[in-house]
Coordinates of all heavy atoms in Angstrom, one line a residue:
E1089 N 84.6 109.6 108.3 CA 85.1 111.0 108.0 C 86.6 111.0 108.2 O 87.1 110.7 109.3 CB 84.4 112.0 108.9 CG 84.9 113.4 108.7 CD 84.2 114.4 109.6 OE1 83.3 114.0 110.4 OE2 84.6 115.5 109.6
M1090 N 87.4 111.3 107.2 CA 88.8 111.4 107.3 C 89.2 112.7 108.0 O 88.6 113.7 107.9 CB 89.5 111.4 105.9 CG 89.2 110.1 105.2 SD 89.8 108.6 106.0 CE 91.5 108.5 105.4
H1091 N 90.3 112.6 108.8 CA 90.8 113.7 109.5 C 92.2 114.1 108.9 O 92.9 113.2 108.4 CB 91.1 113.3 111.0 CG 89.8 113.1 111.8 ND1 89.3 114.1 112.5 CD2 89.0 112.1 111.9 CE1 88.2 113.6 113.1 NE2 88.0 112.4 112.7
E1092 N 92.4 115.4 108.9 CA 93.8 115.8 108.4 C 94.7 115.7 109.6 O 94.5 116.3 110.6 CB 93.7 117.2 107.9 CG 94.9 117.6 107.1 CD 94.8 119.0 106.5 OE1 93.7 119.6 106.4 OE2 95.9 119.5 106.2
I1093 N 95.7 114.9 109.4 CA 96.7 114.6 110.5 C 98.1 114.8 109.9 O 98.4 114.2 108.9 CB 96.5 113.2 111.0 CG1 95.1 112.9 111.5 CG2 97.5 112.9 112.1 CD1 94.7 111.5 111.8
E1094 N 98.9 115.6 110.6 CA 100.3 115.8 110.2 C 101.2 114.8 111.0 O 101.0 114.7 112.2 CB 100.8 117.2 110.5 CG 100.3 118.2 109.5 CD 100.9 119.6 109.8 OE1 101.9 119.7 110.6 OE2 100.3 120.6 109.3
V1095 N 102.1 114.2 110.3 CA 103.1 113.3 111.0 C 104.5 113.8 110.6 O 104.8 113.9 109.4 CB 102.9 111.9 110.6 CG1 104.0 111.0 111.2 CG2 101.5 111.4 111.0
F1096 N 105.3 114.2 111.5 CA 106.6 114.8 111.2 C 107.6 114.5 112.3 O 107.2 114.3 113.5 CB 106.5 116.3 110.9 CG 105.9 117.1 112.0 CD1 106.7 117.8 112.9 CD2 104.5 117.2 112.2 CE1 106.2 118.5 113.9 CE2 104.0 117.9 113.2 CZ 104.9 118.6 114.1
P1097 N 108.9 114.6 112.2 CA 109.6 114.8 110.9 C 109.6 113.5 110.1 O 109.2 112.4 110.7 CB 111.0 115.1 111.3 CG 111.2 114.5 112.6 CD 109.9 114.5 113.3
N1098 N 110.0 113.5 108.9 CA 110.0 112.3 108.0 C 111.2 112.5 107.1 O 111.1 113.3 106.2 CB 108.7 112.1 107.3 CG 108.6 110.7 106.6 OD1 109.5 109.9 106.8 ND2 107.6 110.6 105.8
P1099 N 112.3 111.7 107.3 CA 112.5 110.6 108.2 C 112.6 111.1 109.7 O 112.9 112.2 109.9 CB 113.7 109.9 107.7 CG 114.5 111.0 107.0 CD 113.4 111.9 106.4
V1100 N 112.4 110.1 110.6 CA 112.4 110.4 112.0 C 113.4 109.6 112.7 O 113.7 108.5 112.2 CB 111.0 110.2 112.6 CG1 110.5 108.7 112.4 CG2 110.9 110.5 114.1
R1101 N 114.0 110.1 113.8 CA 115.0 109.3 114.5 C 114.4 108.7 115.8 O 114.5 107.5 116.0 CB 116.2 110.2 114.8 CG 117.5 109.5 114.9 CD 118.6 110.5 114.8 NE 118.9 110.8 113.5 CZ 120.1 110.7 112.9 NH1 121.1 110.3 113.7 NH2 120.4 110.9 111.7
D1102 N 113.9 109.6 116.7 CA 113.5 109.1 118.0 C 112.0 109.5 118.3 O 111.3 108.7 118.8 CB 114.4 109.8 119.1 CG 115.8 109.3 119.0 OD1 116.0 108.1 118.7 OD2 116.7 110.2 119.2
I1103 N 111.7 110.7 118.0 CA 110.3 111.2 118.4 C 109.5 111.6 117.2 O 109.9 112.5 116.4 CB 110.4 112.4 119.4 CG1 111.3 112.1 120.6 CG2 109.0 112.9 119.8 CD1 110.7 111.1 121.5
L1104 N 108.4 110.9 117.0 CA 107.5 111.2 115.9 C 106.4 112.2 116.5 O 105.8 111.9 117.5 CB 106.8 109.9 115.5 CG 106.0 110.0 114.2 CD1 106.8 110.3 113.0 CD2 105.2 108.7 114.0
H1105 N 106.2 113.3 115.8 CA 105.2 114.3 116.2 C 103.9 114.1 115.4 O 104.0 113.9 114.2 CB 105.7 115.7 116.0 CG 106.9 116.0 116.8 ND1 106.8 116.7 118.0 CD2 108.2 115.7 116.6 CE1 108.1 116.8 118.5 NE2 108.9 116.2 117.7
V1106 N 102.8 114.1 116.1 CA 101.5 113.9 115.4 C 100.7 115.1 115.8 O 100.6 115.4 116.9 CB 100.8 112.6 115.9 CG1 99.5 112.4 115.3 CG2 101.7 111.4 115.5
K1107 N 100.1 115.7 114.8 CA 99.2 116.9 115.0 C 97.9 116.7 114.3 O 97.9 116.5 113.1 CB 100.0 118.1 114.5 CG 99.3 119.4 114.8 CD 100.1 120.6 114.4 CE 99.4 121.9 114.7 NZ 100.1 123.0 114.2
L1108 N 96.8 116.8 115.0 CA 95.5 116.8 114.4 C 95.2 118.2 113.9 O 95.3 119.2 114.7 CB 94.4 116.4 115.4 CG 94.4 115.0 115.8 CD1 93.4 114.8 117.0 CD2 93.9 114.1 114.7
I1109 N 94.8 118.4 112.7 CA 94.4 119.7 112.1 C 92.9 119.8 112.3 O 92.1 118.9 111.9 CB 94.8 119.8 110.6 CG1 96.2 119.4 110.4 CG2 94.5 121.2 110.1 CD1 97.3 120.2 111.1
E1110 N 92.5 120.9 112.9 CA 91.1 121.2 113.2 C 90.5 120.0 114.0 O 89.5 119.3 113.5 CB 90.3 121.5 111.9 CG 90.7 122.7 111.3 CD 90.0 123.0 110.0 OE1 88.8 122.5 109.8 OE2 90.5 123.7 109.1
P1111 N 91.0 119.6 115.1 CA 90.4 118.5 115.9 C 89.0 118.7 116.3 O 88.6 119.8 116.6 CB 91.4 118.3 117.1 CG 91.9 119.7 117.3 CD 92.0 120.3 115.9
K1112 N 88.2 117.7 116.3 CA 86.9 117.7 116.9 C 87.0 117.4 118.3 O 87.7 116.4 118.7 CB 86.0 116.7 116.2 CG 86.2 116.6 114.7 CD 85.3 117.5 113.9 CE 85.4 117.3 112.4 NZ 86.6 117.7 111.8
S1113 N 86.4 118.1 119.2 CA 86.6 118.0 120.6 C 86.2 116.6 121.2 O 86.8 116.2 122.1 CB 85.9 119.1 121.4 OG 84.5 119.0 121.1
D1114 N 85.2 116.0 120.6 CA 84.8 114.7 121.2 C 85.4 113.5 120.5 O 85.0 112.4 120.8 CB 83.2 114.6 121.0 CG 82.8 114.7 119.6 OD1 83.6 115.2 118.7 OD2 81.7 114.3 119.3
V1115 N 86.3 113.7 119.6 CA 86.9 112.6 118.8 C 88.0 111.9 119.7 O 88.8 112.5 120.3 CB 87.5 113.1 117.5 CG1 88.6 112.3 117.0 CG2 86.4 113.1 116.5
V1116 N 87.9 110.6 119.7 CA 89.0 109.8 120.3 C 89.7 109.1 119.1 O 89.1 108.4 118.3 CB 88.4 108.7 121.2 CG1 89.5 107.8 121.7 CG2 87.7 109.4 122.4
I1117 N 91.0 109.3 119.0 CA 91.8 108.8 117.9 C 92.8 107.8 118.5 O 93.6 108.1 119.3 CB 92.5 109.9 117.2 CG1 91.6 110.9 116.6 CG2 93.4 109.3 116.1 CD1 90.8 110.6 115.4
Q1118 N 92.7 106.5 118.0 CA 93.6 105.5 118.4 C 94.7 105.5 117.2 O 94.3 105.7 116.1 CB 93.0 104.1 118.4 CG 91.7 104.1 119.2 CD 91.9 103.9 120.7 OE1 93.0 103.6 121.1 NE2 90.9 104.3 121.5
Y1119 N 95.9 105.2 117.6 CA 96.9 105.0 116.5 C 97.6 103.6 116.6 O 97.7 103.1 117.7 CB 97.9 106.1 116.5 CG 98.9 106.1 117.7 CD1 100.0 105.3 117.7 CD2 98.6 106.9 118.8 CE1 100.9 105.3 118.8 CE2 99.5 106.9 119.9 CZ 100.6 106.1 119.9 OH 101.5 106.1 120.9
R1120 N 98.0 103.1 115.5 CA 98.8 101.9 115.4 C 100.0 102.2 114.4 O 99.7 102.7 113.3 CB 98.0 100.7 114.9 CG 96.9 100.3 115.8 CD 96.3 99.0 115.4 NE 96.1 98.8 114.0 CZ 96.0 97.6 113.4 NH1 95.9 96.5 114.1 NH2 95.8 97.5 112.1
I1121 N 101.2 101.8 114.8 CA 102.3 101.9 113.9 C 102.6 100.5 113.5 O 102.8 99.6 114.3 CB 103.5 102.5 114.6 CG1 103.2 104.0 115.0 CG2 104.7 102.5 113.7 CD1 104.2 104.7 115.8
L1122 N 102.7 100.3 112.2 CA 102.9 99.0 111.6 C 104.2 99.0 110.8 O 104.5 100.0 110.1 CB 101.7 98.6 110.7 CG 100.4 98.6 111.3 CD1 99.6 99.8 111.0 CD2 99.6 97.4 110.9
D1123 N 104.9 97.9 110.8 CA 106.1 97.8 109.9 C 105.7 97.3 108.5 O 104.5 97.2 108.2 CB 107.1 96.8 110.5 CG 106.7 95.4 110.6 OD1 105.7 95.0 110.0 OD2 107.4 94.6 111.4
A1124 N 106.6 97.2 107.6 CA 106.3 96.9 106.2 C 105.6 95.6 106.1 O 104.8 95.4 105.1 CB 107.6 96.9 105.4
S1125 N 105.7 94.6 107.0 CA 105.0 93.3 106.9 C 103.6 93.4 107.5 O 102.9 92.4 107.5 CB 105.8 92.2 107.6 OG 105.8 92.4 109.0
G1126 N 103.3 94.5 108.1 CA 101.9 94.7 108.7 C 101.9 94.4 110.2 O 100.8 94.4 110.8
A1127 N 103.0 94.0 110.8 CA 103.0 93.8 112.3 C 103.0 95.1 113.1 O 103.6 96.1 112.7 CB 104.3 93.0 112.6
V1128 N 102.2 95.1 114.1 CA 102.0 96.3 115.0 C 103.2 96.4 115.9 O 103.5 95.5 116.6 CB 100.7 96.2 115.8 CG1 100.6 97.4 116.7 CG2 99.5 96.1 114.9
V1129 N 103.9 97.5 115.8 CA 105.1 97.7 116.6 C 104.9 98.8 117.8 O 105.7 98.8 118.7 CB 106.4 98.1 115.8 CG1 106.7 97.0 114.8 CG2 106.1 99.5 115.1
N1130 N 103.8 99.5 117.7 CA 103.5 100.5 118.7 C 102.0 100.9 118.5 O 101.5 100.9 117.4 CB 104.4 101.7 118.5 CG 104.3 102.7 119.7 OD1 103.3 102.8 120.3 ND2 105.5 103.4 119.9
K1131 N 101.3 101.2 119.6 CA 100.0 101.6 119.5 C 99.6 102.4 120.7 O 100.3 102.4 121.7 CB 99.0 100.5 119.3 CG 98.9 99.5 120.5 CD 98.0 98.4 120.1 CE 97.9 97.4 121.3 NZ 97.0 96.3 121.0
G1132 N 98.6 103.2 120.6 CA 98.2 104.1 121.7 C 97.0 104.9 121.3 O 96.3 104.7 120.3
R1133 N 96.8 106.0 122.1 CA 95.7 106.9 121.8 C 96.3 108.3 121.8 O 97.1 108.7 122.6 CB 94.7 106.8 123.0 CG 93.4 107.5 122.6 CD 92.3 107.1 123.6 NE 92.4 108.0 124.8 CZ 91.8 107.8 125.9 NH1 91.0 106.8 126.1 NH2 91.9 108.7 126.9
L1134 N 95.7 109.1 120.9 CA 96.1 110.6 120.9 C 95.2 111.3 122.0 O 94.0 111.3 121.9 CB 95.8 111.2 119.5 CG 96.6 110.6 118.4 CD1 96.3 111.3 117.1 CD2 98.1 110.6 118.6
D1135 N 95.9 111.8 123.0 CA 95.2 112.5 124.1 C 95.0 114.0 123.9 O 94.3 114.6 124.6 CB 96.0 112.2 125.4 CG 96.0 110.8 125.7 OD1 95.0 110.1 125.5 OD2 97.1 110.3 126.1
S1136 N 95.7 114.5 122.9 CA 95.6 115.9 122.6 C 95.8 116.2 121.1 O 96.1 115.2 120.4 CB 96.6 116.7 123.4 OG 97.9 116.3 123.0
E1137 N 95.6 117.4 120.7 CA 95.7 117.7 119.2 C 97.1 117.6 118.7 O 97.4 117.4 117.5 CB 95.1 119.0 118.9 CG 95.7 120.2 119.5 CD 94.9 121.4 119.3 OE1 93.8 121.6 119.8 OE2 95.4 122.3 118.5
A1138 N 98.1 117.7 119.6 CA 99.5 117.5 119.3 C 100.2 116.6 120.3 O 100.0 116.7 121.5 CB 100.2 118.9 119.3
Q1139 N 100.8 115.6 119.8 CA 101.4 114.5 120.6 C 102.7 114.1 120.1 O 102.9 114.1 118.9 CB 100.4 113.4 120.8 CG 100.8 112.4 121.8 CD 99.6 111.5 122.3 OE1 98.5 112.0 122.3 NE2 99.9 110.3 122.6
Q1140 N 103.6 113.6 121.0 CA 104.8 113.0 120.6 C 104.8 111.5 120.9 O 104.4 111.1 122.0 CB 106.0 113.7 121.4 CG 106.1 115.2 121.1 CD 107.1 115.9 121.9 OE1 107.7 115.2 122.8 NE2 107.4 117.1 121.6
I1141 N 105.3 110.7 120.0 CA 105.4 109.3 120.1 C 106.8 108.9 120.1 O 107.5 109.1 119.1 CB 104.6 108.5 119.0 CG1 103.1 109.0 119.0 CG2 104.7 107.0 119.2 CD1 102.3 108.5 117.8
D1142 N 107.3 108.2 121.1 CA 108.7 107.8 121.2 C 108.8 106.5 120.4 O 108.2 105.5 120.7 CB 109.1 107.5 122.7 CG 110.5 107.1 122.8 OD1 111.2 106.9 121.8 OD2 111.0 107.0 124.0
I1143 N 109.6 106.5 119.3 CA 109.8 105.3 118.5 C 111.3 105.0 118.5 O 111.8 104.3 117.6 CB 109.3 105.5 117.1 CG1 110.0 106.7 116.4 CG2 107.8 105.6 117.1 CD1 109.8 106.6 114.9
S1144 N 112.0 105.4 119.5 CA 113.5 105.1 119.6 C 113.8 103.6 119.7 O 114.9 103.2 119.3 CB 114.1 105.9 120.8 OG 113.5 105.5 122.0
E1145 N 112.9 102.8 120.1 CA 113.1 101.4 120.3 C 112.8 100.6 118.9 O 113.1 99.4 118.8 CB 112.2 100.8 121.3 CG 112.4 101.4 122.7 CD 113.7 101.1 123.3 OE1 114.2 100.0 123.2 OE2 114.4 102.1 123.8
V1146 N 112.2 101.3 118.0 CA 111.9 100.7 116.7 C 113.1 100.7 115.8 O 113.8 101.6 115.7 CB 110.7 101.5 116.1 CG1 110.4 101.0 114.7 CG2 109.5 101.4 117.0
T1147 N 113.3 99.5 115.1 CA 114.4 99.4 114.2 C 114.2 100.3 112.9 O 113.1 100.7 112.6 CB 114.7 98.0 113.7 OG1 113.5 97.5 113.1 CG2 115.0 97.1 114.9
A1148 N 115.3 100.6 112.3 CA 115.2 101.5 111.1 C 114.4 100.8 110.0 O 114.4 99.6 109.8 CB 116.6 101.8 110.6
G1149 N 113.7 101.6 109.2 CA 112.9 101.0 108.1 C 111.7 101.9 107.8 O 111.5 103.0 108.3
L1150 N 110.8 101.3 106.9 CA 109.6 102.0 106.5 C 108.4 101.5 107.4 O 108.3 100.3 107.7 CB 109.3 101.6 105.1 CG 108.0 102.1 104.5 CD1 108.0 103.7 104.4 CD2 107.7 101.5 103.1
Y1151 N 107.6 102.5 107.9 CA 106.5 102.2 108.7 C 105.3 102.9 108.3 O 105.4 103.9 107.5 CB 106.8 102.6 110.2 CG 107.9 101.8 110.8 CD1 109.2 102.1 110.6 CD2 107.6 100.6 111.5 CE1 110.2 101.3 111.2 CE2 108.6 99.8 112.0 CZ 109.9 100.1 111.8 OH 110.9 99.3 112.4
Y1152 N 104.1 102.5 108.7 CA 102.8 103.1 108.5 C 102.2 103.4 109.8 O 102.3 102.6 110.7 CB 101.9 102.2 107.7 CG 102.5 101.8 106.3 CD1 103.3 100.7 106.2 CD2 102.2 102.6 105.2 CE1 103.8 100.4 104.9 CE2 102.7 102.2 104.0 CZ 103.5 101.1 103.8 OH 104.1 100.8 102.6
I1153 N 101.6 104.6 109.9 CA 100.8 104.9 111.1 C 99.4 105.0 110.7 O 99.1 105.8 109.7 CB 101.4 106.1 111.9 CG1 100.6 106.3 113.2 CG2 101.4 107.4 111.0 CD1 101.3 107.3 114.2
E1154 N 98.5 104.3 111.3 CA 97.1 104.3 111.1 C 96.4 105.0 112.2 O 96.7 104.9 113.4 CB 96.5 102.9 111.0 CG 96.9 102.1 109.9 CD 96.2 100.7 109.9 OE1 95.6 100.3 111.0 OE2 96.2 100.1 108.9
F1155 N 95.3 105.8 111.9 CA 94.5 106.4 112.9 C 93.1 106.0 112.8 O 92.5 105.9 111.6 CB 94.6 108.0 112.7 CG 96.0 108.5 112.8 CD1 96.7 108.7 111.6 CD2 96.6 108.8 114.0 CE1 98.0 109.2 111.7 CE2 97.9 109.2 114.1 CZ 98.6 109.5 112.9
R1156 N 92.5 105.6 113.9 CA 91.1 105.1 113.9 C 90.3 105.8 114.9 O 90.8 106.2 116.0 CB 91.1 103.6 114.1 CG 91.7 102.8 113.0 CD 91.7 101.3 113.2 NE 92.3 100.6 112.1 CZ 91.8 100.3 110.9 NH1 90.5 100.5 110.7 NH2 92.5 99.7 110.0
D1157 N 89.0 106.0 114.6 CA 88.1 106.6 115.6 C 87.6 105.6 116.6 O 88.0 104.4 116.6 CB 87.0 107.4 114.9 CG 86.0 106.4 114.1 OD1 86.1 105.2 114.4 OD2 85.2 107.0 113.3
R1158 N 86.7 106.1 117.5 CA 86.2 105.2 118.6 C 85.6 103.9 118.1 O 85.7 102.9 118.7 CB 85.2 106.1 119.4 CG 84.8 105.4 120.7 CD 83.6 106.2 121.3 NE 83.9 107.6 121.4 CZ 84.3 108.2 122.5 NH1 84.6 107.5 123.6 NH2 84.5 109.5 122.5
A1159 N 84.9 104.0 116.9 CA 84.2 102.9 116.3 C 85.2 101.9 115.6 O 84.8 100.9 115.1 CB 83.1 103.3 115.4
G1160 N 86.5 102.3 115.5 CA 87.4 101.5 114.8 C 87.5 101.8 113.3 O 88.3 101.1 112.5
T1161 N 86.9 102.9 112.8 CA 86.9 103.3 111.4 C 88.2 104.0 111.1 O 88.6 104.9 111.9 CB 85.7 104.2 111.1 OG1 84.5 103.5 111.4 CG2 85.7 104.6 109.6
L1162 N 88.9 103.6 110.0 CA 90.1 104.3 109.6 C 89.8 105.7 109.3 O 89.0 106.0 108.4 CB 90.7 103.6 108.4 CG 92.1 104.0 108.0 CD1 93.2 103.7 109.0 CD2 92.5 103.4 106.6
V1163 N 90.5 106.7 109.9 CA 90.3 108.1 109.7 C 91.5 108.8 109.1 O 91.5 110.0 108.8 CB 89.8 108.8 110.9 CG1 88.4 108.3 111.3 CG2 90.7 108.7 112.1
G1164 N 92.6 108.0 108.9 CA 93.8 108.6 108.4 C 94.9 107.6 108.4 O 94.9 106.7 109.3
S1165 N 95.9 107.8 107.6 CA 97.1 107.0 107.6 C 98.3 107.8 106.9 O 98.0 108.6 106.0 CB 96.9 105.6 107.0 OG 96.7 105.7 105.6
E1166 N 99.5 107.5 107.4 CA 100.6 108.1 106.8 C 101.7 107.1 106.8 O 101.7 106.1 107.6 CB 101.1 109.3 107.6 CG 100.2 110.5 107.6 CD 100.2 111.3 106.4 OE1 101.2 111.2 105.6 OE2 99.2 111.9 106.1
K1167 N 102.7 107.2 105.9 CA 103.9 106.4 106.0 C 105.1 107.3 106.4 O 105.1 108.5 106.1 CB 104.2 105.6 104.8 CG 104.4 106.3 103.5 CD 104.6 105.3 102.4 CE 104.7 106.1 101.1 NZ 104.7 105.2 99.9
F1168 N 106.1 106.7 107.1 CA 107.3 107.4 107.5 C 108.4 106.5 107.5 O 108.3 105.2 107.6 CB 107.1 108.1 108.8 CG 106.9 107.2 110.0 CD1 108.0 106.8 110.7 CD2 105.6 106.8 110.3 CE1 107.8 106.0 111.8 CE2 105.4 105.9 111.4 CZ 106.5 105.5 112.2
V1169 N 109.6 107.0 107.5 CA 110.9 106.2 107.6 C 111.5 106.5 108.9 O 111.7 107.7 109.4 CB 111.8 106.6 106.4 CG1 113.2 105.9 106.6 CG2 111.2 106.3 105.1
R1170 N 111.9 105.4 109.6 CA 112.7 105.6 110.9 C 114.1 105.4 110.5 O 114.5 104.4 109.9 CB 112.2 104.4 111.9 CG 113.3 104.1 113.0 CD 113.3 105.1 114.1 NE 113.9 104.6 115.3 CZ 115.2 104.8 115.6 NH1 116.0 105.4 114.7 NH2 115.7 104.3 116.7
E1171 N 115.0 106.4 110.8 CA 116.4 106.4 110.4 C 117.2 105.5 111.4 O 116.9 105.5 112.6 CB 117.0 107.8 110.5 CG 116.5 108.6 109.3 CD 117.3 110.0 109.3 OE1 117.5 110.6 110.3 OE2 117.6 110.4 108.2

């Protein structure tokens, strides 16, 4: 089941904001940020319906953020540009 997830701002400089729209209370969402070659540059877990991810250490370029549920099923993805 796909979840509606907002990722902003885009492009982003330091802090990426992630917001779950209509979160399900029992859902655990893992995230992974991948660069254009598919290498994982950041990962973690969304602990609340709105969270900030510090990406200030990531070099400028195009990235993808994937969201997966507890079972590892892809439930959403977005692309963004780090300035």
